[in-house]
């Protein structure tokens, strides 16, 4: 039976067999004895995006990965970086240093901070991410066309990623139906409240030129 460690664009953690391109964590939020989640869904404000393989390190998901047989941080998995950003995570400085530097420096440009630091990013994201109680602003169909590639939206319980003027429907297995990119535009979303899932800070960083890693299905 799959462990409950797969994250959707809303930041909710599910038990599904797919694993995706990236791993990440929010601190220790599992019981290693039962390999189940605790009631809390984060233990710190730094929610990060990691690579699945790094320096031949081997971890047992939801196991005892700290010295002394203690639980280490809880491994979470994402379809791609676009999904992880929507859920409120940001690149890890340990295993993705170059990408993390890029993200934080662009954050600094956006907010006029000469020497930006990761904790400054984390503090803002923790107030904005949906899974930690942040808002999901409603955007009009007209505003959708102005969102940067990599931003994610929700039409009810369905999530979509913006890419090349289209909205790509998200699933744990990859991206599917496209909306937009034709004379009708985003009329398919008309008369319904469309919510912005990706935190506002991250949307600003995407506008500044940060390029997240996409699942291959986005190219179809």
């Amino acid at each position: 039976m799959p462990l409950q460690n797969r994250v959707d664009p809303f930041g909710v953690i599910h038990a599904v067999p797919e694993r995706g391109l990236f791993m990440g964590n929010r601190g220790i939020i599992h019981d290693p004895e039962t390999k189940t989640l605790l009631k809390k869904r984060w233990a710190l404000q730094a929610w990060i995006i990691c690579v699945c393989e790094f320096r031949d390190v081997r971890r047992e998901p939801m196991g005892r990965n700290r010295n002394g047989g203690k639980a280490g941080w809880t491994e979470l998995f994402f379809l791609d970086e676009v999904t992880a950003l929507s859920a409120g995570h940001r690149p890890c400085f340990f295993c993705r240093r170059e990408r993390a530097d890029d993200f934080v420096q662009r954050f600094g440009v956006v907010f006029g901070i000469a020497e930006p630091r990761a904790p400054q990013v984390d503090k803002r994201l923790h107030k904005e991410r949906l899974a930690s109680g942040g808002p999901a602003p409603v955007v009009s169909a007209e505003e959708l066309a102005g969102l940067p590639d990599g931003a994610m939206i929700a039409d009810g319980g369905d999530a979509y990623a913006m890419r090349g003027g289209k909205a790509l429907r998200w699933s744990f297995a990859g991206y599917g139906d496209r909306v937009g990119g034709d004379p009708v535009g985003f009329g398919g979303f008309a008369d319904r409240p469309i919510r912005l899932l990706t935190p506002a800070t991250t949307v600003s960083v995407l506008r500044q030129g940060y390029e997240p890693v996409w699942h291959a299905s986005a190219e179809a």
Side-chain angles (χ1 to χ4, degrees):
M1 181 176 179
L3 298 175
Q4 187 180 356
N5 59 6
R6 184 71 186 275
V7 185
D8 69 15
F10 298 83
V12 179
I13 307 173
H14 302 260
V16 295
E18 298 90 350
R19 281 294 172 265
L21 301 180
F22 287 93
M23 182 173 64
N25 80 83
R26 306 172 182 177
I28 303 172
I29 57 173
H30 74 280
D31 178 352
E33 188 66 30
T34 61
K35 292 194 174 184
T36 57
L37 291 181
L38 305 175
K39 289 184 178 180
K40 63 183 179 181
R41 290 296 181 263
W42 68 87
L44 36 75
Q45 291 188 357
W47 296 17
I48 59 177
I49 309 168
C50 303
V51 292
C52 290
E53 296 183 7
F54 185 70
R55 296 180 181 175
D56 295 323
V57 174
R58 293 289 181 268
R59 296 179 61 87
E60 178 187 356
M62 287 192 175
R64 300 180 182 277
N65 293 302
R66 291 176 63 192
N67 293 335
K70 297 180 180 180
W73 47 264
T74 304
E75 301 84 356
L76 302 174
F77 296 89
F78 310 91
L79 173 69
D80 57 8
E81 189 174 18
V82 173
T83 305
L85 291 175
S86 176
H89 292 242
R90 52 91 177 158
C92 171
F93 269 91
F94 184 65
C95 65
R96 303 185 71 214
R97 182 80 191 198
E98 184 175 340
R99 299 289 288 178
D101 278 334
D102 185 25
F103 189 94
V104 172
Q105 290 304 313
R106 292 180 192 277
F107 165 86
V109 172
V110 170
F111 294 101
I113 303 172
E115 297 183 1
R117 296 289 184 267
Q120 295 170 304
V121 178
D122 298 333
K123 184 177 181 179
R124 290 187 65 97
L125 289 180
H126 202 62
K127 294 178 180 179
E128 297 173 353
R129 55 173 73 104
L130 189 62
S132 57
V138 174
V139 294
S140 68
E142 292 75 19
E143 292 172 320
L144 294 179
L147 290 175
D149 283 4
M152 295 199 71
I153 60 172
D155 178 15
D158 295 325
Y160 292 79
M162 307 304 296
R163 181 181 172 92
K166 298 181 181 180
L168 284 58
R169 187 170 183 174
W170 180 95
S171 76
F172 283 110
Y175 296 100
D177 297 339
R178 272 68 169 159
V179 177
D182 54 43
V184 177
F186 294 101
F189 292 136
D191 302 321
R192 296 196 300 279
I194 303 302
R195 296 181 295 154
L196 179 63
L197 294 180
T198 306
T201 292
T202 301
V203 172
S204 296
V205 173
L206 292 171
R207 289 190 193 280
Q208 191 60 35
Y210 184 79
E211 298 183 359
V213 178
W214 289 80
H215 188 264
S217 58
E219 302 286 349

